Amino acid sequence: MFLSRCNPVLQLSRNLGKEVLSTIPVVNSAALSTTSSLRKLDLANKYHGLEKNVWVEFIQLALDYKPLNLGQGLPDDLVPEYVINSLREVINDPSVFMHQYTRGFGHPRLVNAIANLYSKLLNIGHQIDPNKEVLVTDGAYEALFTAILGHVNPGDEVIIIEPYFDCYEPMVRLAGGTPKFISLKPTKTSGIISSGDWKLDPEELRQVFTSKTKAIIFNNPNNPLGKVFSRHEIDEICDLCRQHDVLMISDDVYEHMVFDEHKMIRVAELPGMWDRTITIGSAGKTFSVTGWKLGWAYGPEHLIKNCQVVHQNCVYACPTPIQEAVARAFELEMSRLDSPDCYFKSISVDLARKRDFISGMLENVGMKPVIPEGGYFIMADWSSLAPKIDLSSESDPQRDYRFVKWLSKNRKLQGIPPSAFFSTPHKYIGEDYIRFCFIKHDDSLKKAEEILNNWRKELN
C-alpha cells in the first residue's frame, strides 16, 4: 500500500485477531518547512506584475516555429564592415590592457569621442566634459535604468508617451514611481498616413503635468511608430518641463535614422533644456550591432553623477574591447561628419529605400502602412483582413497578439504586436496594427513579399 505523507494515513492494526482500521492524521513538518522556505525564496514583491515580456515570448515563438523574423530589431544588413574590423583589431591588439577592466564610468577613449561628437551636434556653445557629463552603459537599456532609478522616488509621477518601448513602465514602477500615460493618436483614417499624423492632444498634454511630475520619457524618433517630432511639438513639451521643473529623459537611440526632409532635433540643444535633460544613445542602433549591448547617457554633471551612482552599484563597468572598438568607429565618422559617406547620413538613405519597399509590400496585401519618418520599424493596420482570418486557435486577450502569433505559425512571417507598447487602458489603440522591422537584407524583404503575395492569393 502506498501512503500519502500529507493525507491521513490508514493504519492497519490487529487486535485479538481482528483487523482494525484506524485513521491517524500525520503532519509532515519537513514538507511544511520546505514550503515555508520556498515561499521566502519567491520573486521579490517589487517585480510582481512584471513577469510577462513581449521579447521573451516572441523570441521563443520564433525559435519554436522558425518564421522569417521581421519582428525584433535584429539588423542583417547595413552593418558597417569597418566597425566589425575595429573590434577584430582590438581583439588582436598586443596590449593586454585591452582585455582588462577599464574606467567604470566609461573607457577614456570612448567618453572623449562621445563628448566631442555631441558637443558638435548640439552646437550650443558648451563643450561636454567626458569625465563628468558622459556615462557609458550596458546598452541604452541600462542608461534608461540609471536615469530612472537615479532620480525617481516613491510617489513621483513619470510621464510616458505612448506608444513607448516596453521597458519604460517597469523601470518606473521598480523605482516606486507612478507612470502617467499620454497617447499619440492617429489624426487621419484615409489616404496616405504617416507617423507624423499621430499627434498628442495639447490640452491632454498640459493636464498630465502636475506638481507630482518628476520626469518625462521622450523617444524621438519613436519606436514603434517611427514618428519624428517637429520643433513645434518638442517646444510644447519643453515649455511644460520648464514650467513644472521636470526632468527630461530623452531616448534618442534612432537619432541618425531620419528620412525625407525631416530633421532630428535633440532636446538638449533647445533653450533652457541642457540643465534638465539626460540624453540616451546606443552603439547597437547607431552602428547596427545590437549584440554589442553598449549605450551611453550624456547631460549636465548634476544629473549624470546620479546615473553614475546607480551604474557603479549595478553593472559597474562595460566590456573594454567593445568600448575601444566603438570609440575608433566614432573617430572615423567624426572625421567625415559633413560628407555623404558618413554612415550617420548614408544609413538614412539606405533605410528610406527599404521603408518604401516594405510599405508597398504591406499595402499590396491589403494592410494600411503608417509611413515612418524615422527609425527602422513600420506599423501597419491589418484590420481590413480580420474578417478573412480565423484566429480562434489563439487565446490572447489582445487581437494583435492573436494575429501576430497566427501569422508566425501559419504563414511563417513574424512581426510584433504593437499593443505591447501601450498601457493597459490604451492597448486598444495598437490592436489593429502589426509592427515589422525593415533593417533587413533585401533578400529577406523579398522573401517576406513572396510570403504575403502567396497569402493574398489565398485571401482572394
Side-chain angles (χ1 to χ4, degrees), residues 226 228 256-263 347-353 355 372-377 438:
V228 176
H256 301 299
M257 304 163 200
V258 177
F259 312 135
D260 309 321
E261 301 303 315
H262 299 286
K263 186 178 186 303
I347 189 171
S348 292
V349 175
D350 294 330
L351 282 174
R353 178 179 54 81
R355 174 203 62 176
E373 301 164 321
Y376 49 60
F377 299 107
F438 57 87

Side-chain angles (χ1 to χ4, degrees), residues 185-188 192-199 227 373:
K185 299 182 183 72
T187 58
K188 282 178 65 177
I192 297 174
I193 299 173
S194 84
S195 56
D197 294 317
W198 286 57
K199 299 180 183 295
K227 178 181 175 69
E373 301 164 321

Side-chain angles (χ1 to χ4, degrees), residues 312-324:
Q312 74 186 17
N313 290 290
C314 177
V315 172
Y316 181 71
C318 297
T320 304
I322 292 176
Q323 293 191 69
E324 175 72 17

Side-chain angles (χ1 to χ4, degrees), residues 14-30:
R14 296 185 179 274
N15 182 15
L16 299 176
K18 293 183 178 180
E19 291 186 347
V20 178
L21 188 65
S22 60
T23 304
I24 302 175
V26 175
V27 177
N28 191 317
S29 59

Side-chain angles (χ1 to χ4, degrees), residues 103 205 221 244 254 332 341 368 428:
R103 177 176 172 269
L205 180 63
H244 293 272
Y254 302 101
L332 173 61
D341 294 330
K368 294 180 182 176
Y428 71 92

Side-chain angles (χ1 to χ4, degrees), residues 188-357:
K188 282 178 65 177
T189 57
S190 60
I192 297 174
I193 299 173
S194 84
S195 56
D197 294 317
W198 286 57
K199 299 180 183 295
L200 295 173
D201 178 87
E203 182 56 33
E204 188 181 355
L205 180 63
R206 282 190 289 272
Q207 289 178 1
V208 79
F209 279 82
T210 72
S211 59
K212 295 182 179 179
T213 304
K214 169 61 74 71
I216 182 170
I217 306 175
F218 177 66
N219 180 209
N220 184 38
N222 174 274
N223 172 24
L225 194 55
K227 178 181 175 69
V228 176
F229 286 78
S230 70
R231 174 64 185 262
H232 174 71
E233 290 173 312
I234 297 174
D235 278 341
E236 283 187 321
I237 296 169
C238 291
D239 286 346
L240 289 164
C241 287
R242 289 187 290 264
Q243 180 182 333
H244 293 272
D245 193 22
V246 167
L247 168 67
M248 164 65 76
I249 301 173
S250 188
D251 182 354
D252 290 9
V253 296
Y254 302 101
E255 60 187 320
H256 301 299
M257 304 163 200
V258 177
F259 312 135
D260 309 321
E261 301 303 315
H262 299 286
K263 186 178 186 303
M264 175 64 192
I265 298 171
R266 294 173 176 82
V267 171
E269 71 187 63
L270 300 181
M273 291 305 296
W274 167 258
D275 285 336
R276 66 175 66 254
T277 300
I278 299 170
T279 304
I280 309 295
S282 164
K285 301 298 189 297
T286 297
F287 293 112
S288 304
V289 285
T290 59
W292 289 17
K293 285 299 293 179
L294 196 73
W296 54 83
Y298 68 85
E301 180 184 359
H302 64 271
L303 297 179
I304 295 301
K305 70 179 182 181
N306 300 332
C307 299
Q308 291 173 337
V309 172
V310 178
H311 176 77
Q312 74 186 17
N313 290 290
C314 177
V315 172
Y316 181 71
C318 297
T320 304
I322 292 176
Q323 293 191 69
E324 175 72 17
V326 171
R328 296 181 186 187
F330 269 138
E331 289 167 1
L332 173 61
E333 294 304 340
M334 279 188 285
S335 71
R336 57 183 186 183
L337 203 56
D338 298 321
S339 165
D341 294 330
C342 178
Y343 182 71
F344 302 159
K345 290 181 169 58
S346 66
I347 189 171
S348 292
V349 175
D350 294 330
L351 282 174
R353 178 179 54 81
K354 293 179 184 291
R355 174 203 62 176
D356 294 343
F357 180 87

